[in-house]
Amino acid sequence: MPSTDESNMFTGRIGEEYGFLAVICPNVAILIRNLGAAVAAWKPGVAVRGLEIGCGTGLSTLSLLSQRENLHLRALDASPAMLTQARDNLSDYVAAGRVELIESDALDFLRRQPDVSVDVVASNYAIHNFHNDYRERVFAEILRMLAPGGLFANGDRFAHDDRARHLASTQAAVLRWFDAFAKVNRLDLLQDWIVHLLSDESPDHIMYRAPTLATLRSLGFGDVRSIYSEDVDMLVTATKH
Ligand SMILES: C[S@@+](CC[C@H](N)C(=O)[O-])C[C@H]1O[C@@H](n2cnc3c(N)ncnc32)[C@H](O)[C@@H]1O
């Protein structure tokens, strides 16, 4: 498998019309707010070198930067279409030198970084998109880069471990999407999101809860826990000992 994750669909129409994410993930605003709050609560008062993986249009980046003043962030994304929007949405923070936006594949970028060079790694709704092997390599690189005591916080789509429950949740989501996209006559976008969902749900990509938390623990992360959970949306934090 190449290091680059070629399943990224945010380079096309989905990325250009990202406002529809709230339809796809009704809890996204809460997840994003809680991600920023978790980073703000970590060692308050200490200046933080942060890294965000898959910053997209900058929604999660805004939450991180606005809730923690002494955070300097490098925010990366592989999609130029998403980063163009992020540059607009974060222009004040870019001008103030609080954030650097980086166009890169996540794993390629992480591999080029020195050991113990970051205090906090955050991500929202990006890592579930990754191929399972690629995801595990990304987790290992995050651990390598984090300083001792450093925080990893990931808000994301985590599949229910109970297969029947997960299927029911996915079916309910698809029904909701048909209603919402048909109402605004955007079956073109619905088509893209369904294709995207099939990738997320495929055996090579699906991110089940318990195995993912177990992987983090087996790689060496400590204090691995879920601090928010609503249906498939969950915020996980972990620290480096
Ligand atoms: C659903 S969006 C989430 C964006 C943002 N974090 C938010 O909460 O709104 C997922 C983002 O991950 C990025 N992404 C997916 N695979 C990636 C990879 N391998 N390397 C870097 N970015 C990636 C996509 O381009 C997309 O912008």
Side-chain angles (χ1 to χ4, degrees):
M1 194 194 61
S3 66
T4 302
D5 185 21
E6 287 160 353
S7 56
N8 186 2
M9 283 197 63
F10 293 90
T11 50
R13 202 158 44 190
I14 288 181
E16 283 152 16
E17 304 204 47
Y18 186 63
F20 283 91
L21 184 71
V23 173
I24 299 304
C25 167
N27 301 312
V28 72
I30 300 172
L31 209 48
I32 284 176
R33 193 180 62 230
N34 290 351
L35 178 74
V39 169
W42 180 83
K43 297 190 182 175
V46 173
V48 172
R49 299 164 296 174
L51 175 68
E52 185 185 6
I53 296 176
C55 64
T57 62
L59 297 177
S60 43
T61 322
L62 266 177
S63 172
L64 293 163
L65 290 166
S66 62
Q67 294 192 61
R68 179 150 198 159
E69 280 186 11
N70 55 7
L71 168 67
H72 177 270
L73 203 55
R74 287 181 295 163
L76 70 86
D77 202 285
S79 162
M82 299 297 265
L83 282 172
T84 299
Q85 297 168 72
R87 258 174 229 114
D88 277 352
N89 295 336
L90 300 167
S91 56
D92 289 350
Y93 287 104
V94 173
R98 295 270 320 275
V99 61
E100 292 166 52
L101 296 172
I102 298 163
E103 183 182 329
S104 178
D105 171 77
L107 189 55
D108 282 350
F109 179 85
L110 294 169
R111 280 182 169 153
R112 292 195 303 269
Q113 306 311 306
D115 295 359
V116 185
S117 54
V118 71
D119 305 304
V120 167
V121 177
S123 189
N124 192 65
Y125 247 70
I127 290 176
H128 79 277
N129 293 297
F130 297 169
H131 186 285
N132 292 334
D133 296 341
Y134 178 102
R135 182 183 305 128
E136 190 164 338
R137 288 182 214 180
V138 165
F139 287 157
E141 292 294 330
I142 291 170
L143 187 65
R144 180 185 64 75
M145 277 187 73
L146 275 174
L151 176 74
F152 172 44
N154 185 35
D156 222 321
R157 175 181 168 83
F158 285 87
H160 296 289
D161 295 317
D162 177 331
R163 304 301 198 259
R165 183 175 176 201
H166 186 66
L167 177 62
S169 161
T170 309
Q171 288 170 330
V174 168
L175 292 174
R176 219 175 41 239
W177 296 3
F178 268 87
D179 283 345
F181 283 100
K183 254 185 213 139
V184 291
N185 199 21
R186 289 307 306 268
L187 295 183
D188 56 333
L189 267 182
L190 174 63
Q191 186 180 49
D192 289 354
W193 276 110
I194 297 278
V195 169
H196 182 87
L197 178 68
L198 290 172
S199 167
D200 287 351
E201 296 295 306
S202 68
D204 285 347
H205 290 85
I206 191 162
M207 185 165 79
Y208 285 109
R209 288 161 183 238
T212 305
L213 301 193
T215 297
L216 289 170
R217 290 186 185 107
S218 72
L219 286 169
F221 281 97
D223 309 321
V224 179
R225 63 180 75 145
S226 157
I227 61 169
Y228 164 79
S229 175
E230 183 63 44
D231 192 16
V232 289
D233 300 314
M234 186 159 91
L235 175 59
V236 170
T237 58
T239 53
K240 178 164 171 174
H241 289 308

